[in-house]
Amino acid sequence: MNGDTFHNRNSSSSTLSKRNSTERKGDVTEMKKKSASATATEVGGYGRWLGNAYFMKWRMEDVFGVVKYHPIPCIFAASLLFFMGVEYTLRMIPASAPPFDLGFIVTVPLNRLLAAKPALNTLFAGLNTVFVAMQTAYILGTFLIEGRPRATISALFMFTFRGILGYATQLPLPEGSISQ
């Protein structure tokens, strides 16, 4: 608005209010239809929150389009699965080969505490599992429910290179380690 033009709001306000009134009545009817179909969806086990999820609107073309148009995140996802398998089946270096690892030296008091109190060690392991599960739920939720892929791509990138570095930098466990 630049001052050269004058907008008369009074002449169109009655038309606008009639149109809004009609639209509101239509919205109520549409909402009733949607709530009836939502209850049918809830019976199927999806519920309202999952019915509006981003991935529920995908078609097969969309799934294949992800592979076609976004190959790098797909490579990260495949390498994540590969390195998970490699990392969990990897044989540890024997304790007879002593490396210099600052992490083991700094955490000697914590290692002694956890060795003396196995219940505390189990508690910390459980908390770690809960933390990882919460991260995973957030990452999958932002992608599958909200349709925001940034957190998923970041996690796939991070865990892929974590797997590569974990495989490339194997260290033997010290003889008194709890993880043996």
Side-chain angles (χ1 to χ4, degrees):
M1 293 179 37
N2 59 10
D4 294 332
T5 60
F6 176 74
H7 296 282
N8 186 0
R9 294 182 185 209
N10 293 334
S11 64
S12 65
S13 65
S14 62
T15 306
L16 183 61
S17 66
K18 287 178 188 175
R19 188 171 63 209
N20 282 343
S21 173
T22 306
E23 287 176 2
R24 281 190 209 119
K25 289 177 186 174
D27 286 346
V28 170
T29 307
E30 288 297 318
M31 288 174 68
K32 287 179 182 176
K33 286 180 186 176
K34 286 182 181 178
S35 67
S37 67
T39 54
T41 306
E42 288 176 27
V43 173
Y46 292 116
R48 289 184 186 182
W49 67 273
L50 192 58
N52 292 330
Y54 177 68
F55 78 94
M56 293 296 286
K57 298 173 184 99
W58 288 359
R59 300 174 307 220
M60 287 306 289
E61 300 88 40
D62 297 328
V63 173
F64 291 123
V66 169
V67 176
K68 182 178 179 181
Y69 297 112
H70 306 287
I72 299 209
C74 293
I75 291 169
F76 285 151
S79 62
L80 168 68
L81 295 174
F82 173 75
F83 282 108
M84 282 174 65
V86 167
E87 185 174 356
Y88 293 119
T89 58
L90 188 64
R91 289 185 174 265
M92 300 305 278
I93 298 173
S96 60
F100 174 75
D101 184 9
L102 192 58
F104 285 126
I105 294 170
V106 172
T107 59
V108 166
L110 180 61
N111 189 24
R112 287 185 188 137
L113 174 71
L114 295 176
K117 299 184 181 200
L120 187 61
N121 187 36
T122 304
L123 175 70
F124 285 162
L127 289 174
N128 183 52
T129 303
V130 168
F131 179 69
V132 169
M134 289 171 60
Q135 283 180 320
T136 304
Y138 171 77
I139 290 167
L140 291 175
T142 57
F143 181 62
L144 296 176
I145 305 299
E146 298 174 10
R148 296 184 298 135
R150 182 174 286 169
T152 306
I153 293 169
S154 302
L156 291 173
F157 183 81
M158 178 183 67
F159 284 114
T160 297
F161 286 99
R162 179 189 178 276
I164 291 169
L165 292 174
Y167 182 74
T169 58
Q170 298 177 43
L171 295 171
L173 292 172
E175 288 186 24
S177 175
I178 298 172
S179 300
Q180 287 182 343

